[in-house]
Amino acid sequence: MLNISDIMQTVNMIDHQHLDIRTITLGISLYDCADPDINRCAGKIYDKICRKAANLVNVGCEIEREYGIPIVNKRISVTPIALVAASCENGEYSIIGRSLDKAAKTCGVDFIGGYSALVHKGFTDADRKLIASIPETLSATDIVCSSVNVATTKAGINMDAVALMGKVIKKTAELTASNDGLGCAKLVIFANAVEDNPFMAGAFHGPGEPECAVNVGVSGPGVVWRALQDVKGESFDVVAETVKRTAFRITRMGQVVAHAASERLGVPFGIVDLSLAPTPAQGDSVARILEAMGLETCGTHGTTAALALLNDAVKKGGVMASGHVGGLSGAFIPVSEDEGMISAVKSGVLSLEKLEAMTCVCSVGLDMIAVPGSTSADTISAIIADEAAIGVINNKTTAVRIIPAPNKNVGDNVEFGGLLGNAPVMKVNSVGSSEFIARGGRIPAPIHSLRN
Amino acid sequence: MKAVMTVTASDRVGIIAGVCSLLADMGVNILDLNQTVMQGIFTMTLLVDTSTSSHSFDDIRSALIQRSEKENLNIHIQRADIFDAMHRI
């Protein structure tokens, strides 16, 4: 029989420390839905998603009951739509966006991701058409998520795409102004996007993925925070070891759930994404973990070092617990989705500049950040360019999910609700970058991309 | 299916009897049982086999939840593999 304290430890993690599976995400390839007629293409996409994901929610709920572990979201990711819609000779791509929304609602999932384009080296005609349709699609749908990859370490940064995405974000905010620019919370601009990410809004089923795959994203900041309460005042060696041990347990749980889901759905297991994903709930915050290491408030000096340790220890602990680790894997630092981050911004300690520094060592990037509605498209593009540069040079994924909240100013609050939380509007450097963004072209790939 | 059950409550007479007779009524076999009182809190863990029961796992779980609400107990039942995975390499 298992040790009674081990058993109670697991039960307490679930009951009191918000340990959960954040998402089971079913990746579905849509290549075979290509059709010259856009309405037929949209119909095939609807049918295929409904067929492949028919049991996803039921299986998720069944696993939740049997294992006693909350599975917060069930999601679907699909082939980047620009690759599928390239076959369509006419019609607006938002028709496909609506079809994705309808299919996801029929299946009962929480989100569907993949209204995406991969343009790190340049645009196809379909990429341009898809990007132009993002604002309308995000305003006309409820649970469709969109992403655009504008840079990779191998290809450099597509600055034409960076310039364009600033405008697309502004337009999306404008069309969803009645919801404080909520559409932008469903749009991510990536550098080095990964093909098997189960987390939204950036999930898509990459071109190298199989017909279908089950990817699982774990959570658990509350568990790590609790573990650190027992090692107060100890050295960083002990802190790192404690985080590793905790990450191992969390990831093992993800692995068990991923295997069960894969078996019951009859779909191959893809990866476990061992990210620490916070929620706006008390006791489920990454910022509070950093503070538990001895920082008065997240955002003060030392925060980047603390996050670097956390991100690395999570990976080291998690990697042995799963057969295949992938996705974004690390620590997320969204602002609106993390109670401690929200509080740190409100207290004036955590600034956009510090967040940018933190993205050098976290698993993704500038995430769920609300800025004044008056922020120009060029400034947003320049923020994207900085983030892409960090990703490209450091050979890591970075992303920008920023909300220029219409008619809001610094100090106002934007409420998105649910897992998306609420965001205090942050100050942005208002000195212009327009001439820089207007240059266009590509920033060449760094020298260390030449590894052959 | 092998499952781990945990029962916690304020300590009082008859908790084990109540839970175990419910399991017996449903045909669930108890493979192992540990019980202690930690700081006044009754804590029991059981390893059970549900395959001996004619009831489904969901039915057993519902009956336990119903009982826990009625008698002010905190009961969890979860597949045993999750504990093996989390606490054994």
Side-chain angles (χ1 to χ4, degrees), chain A residues 1 10 15 66-67 252, chain B residues 32 58 76 78-79 85 87:
Chain A
M1 174 92 169
T10 300
D15 266 11
E66 280 181 24
Y67 288 89
R252 285 293 269 194
Chain B
D32 201 349
D58 279 347
H76 287 81
Q78 296 161 267
R79 285 180 78 112
H87 298 284

Side-chain angles (χ1 to χ4, degrees), chain B residues 2 5 9-10 12-13 15 23-25 27 30 33-38 47 57 62 70 78 82 86:
Chain B
K2 282 189 185 168
M5 263 181 71
S10 300
R12 61 174 185 269
V13 174
I15 299 176
L23 291 174
D25 289 346
I30 298 172
L33 187 154
N34 267 310
Q35 184 260 309
T36 182
V37 177
M38 295 196 275
L47 182 64
F57 181 84
S62 305
K70 205 169 118 198
Q78 296 161 267
I82 198 81
M86 284 177 79

Side-chain angles (χ1 to χ4, degrees), chain A residues 31-353:
Chain A
Y31 279 127
D32 56 348
C33 300
D35 197 291
D37 182 285
I38 195 157
N39 289 310
R40 271 212 306 267
C41 179
K44 284 184 189 174
I45 287 174
Y46 176 83
D47 291 343
K48 182 163 186 185
I49 292 171
C50 291
R51 197 170 65 245
K52 294 283 184 186
N55 290 327
L56 177 61
V57 172
N58 280 344
V59 163
C61 294
E62 191 180 278
I63 294 173
E64 198 169 19
R65 286 195 303 274
E66 280 181 24
Y67 288 89
I69 297 166
I71 298 171
V72 182
N73 269 194
K74 291 92 188 168
R75 301 171 177 169
I76 296 169
S77 64
V78 296
T79 307
I81 289 301
L83 298 177
V84 184
S87 61
C88 303
E89 287 165 356
N90 45 36
E92 292 301 317
Y93 286 2
S94 54
I95 295 171
I96 296 178
R98 287 194 184 89
S99 179
L100 292 174
D101 200 47
K102 198 172 138 206
K105 285 173 181 166
T106 304
C107 297
V109 297
D110 301 281
F111 285 108
I112 183 164
Y115 200 77
S116 307
L118 310 174
V119 297
H120 36 273
K121 206 164 180 185
F123 301 93
T124 62
D125 293 346
D127 291 331
R128 284 194 188 279
K129 226 172 140 179
L130 181 118
I131 291 172
S133 73
I134 288 175
E136 198 213 320
T137 299
L138 292 181
S139 67
T141 58
D142 296 314
I143 51 177
V144 172
C145 293
S146 176
S147 55
V148 177
N149 193 54
V150 296
T152 65
T153 300
K154 272 282 182 197
I157 307 173
N158 179 351
M159 288 300 289
D160 292 325
V162 168
L164 184 57
M165 290 320 294
K167 296 186 179 78
V168 168
I169 289 173
K170 285 289 284 183
K171 180 84 179 158
T172 305
E174 215 175 276
L175 291 187
T176 54
S178 55
N179 293 321
D180 288 337
L182 176 67
C184 298
K186 298 181 283 177
L187 173 60
V188 186
I189 320 305
F190 272 120
N192 289 325
V194 294
E195 301 196 357
D196 50 11
N197 164 27
F199 287 102
M200 294 297 170
F204 62 85
H205 189 67
E209 292 288 301
E211 181 68 15
C212 280
V214 171
N215 300 317
V216 166
V218 298
S219 175
V223 182
V224 176
W225 179 86
R226 179 64 197 78
L228 290 184
Q229 299 309 304
D230 293 337
V231 295
K232 269 192 197 300
E234 304 262 11
S235 73
F236 283 115
D237 311 67
V238 178
V239 171
E241 198 57 29
T242 306
V243 174
K244 272 163 64 182
R245 283 171 189 275
T246 313
F248 176 83
R249 293 203 174 99
I250 296 171
T251 312
R252 285 293 269 194
M253 191 187 73
Q255 175 75 14
V256 169
V257 168
H259 262 290
S262 153
E263 216 174 273
R264 293 174 196 202
L265 289 166
V267 167
F269 159 61
I271 54 98
V272 173
D273 186 320
L274 46 87
S275 289
L276 285 185
T279 68
Q282 289 280 345
D284 204 16
S285 156
V286 169
R288 298 296 184 203
I289 299 175
L290 306 179
E291 290 169 1
M293 289 189 206
L295 302 168
E296 208 173 299
T297 303
C298 175
T300 187
H301 300 293
T303 303
T304 311
L307 181 59
L309 180 152
L310 176 67
N311 202 43
D312 185 61
V314 164
K315 289 179 201 167
K316 285 174 177 163
V319 78
M320 196 179 149
S322 171
H324 297 282
V325 170
L328 300 167
S329 286
F332 291 162
I333 53 165
V335 172
S336 77
E337 298 171 347
D338 185 311
E339 169 272 322
M341 294 283 177
I342 295 168
S343 159
V345 170
K346 281 185 176 164
S347 69
V349 177
L350 182 59
S351 65
L352 196 55
E353 286 74 13

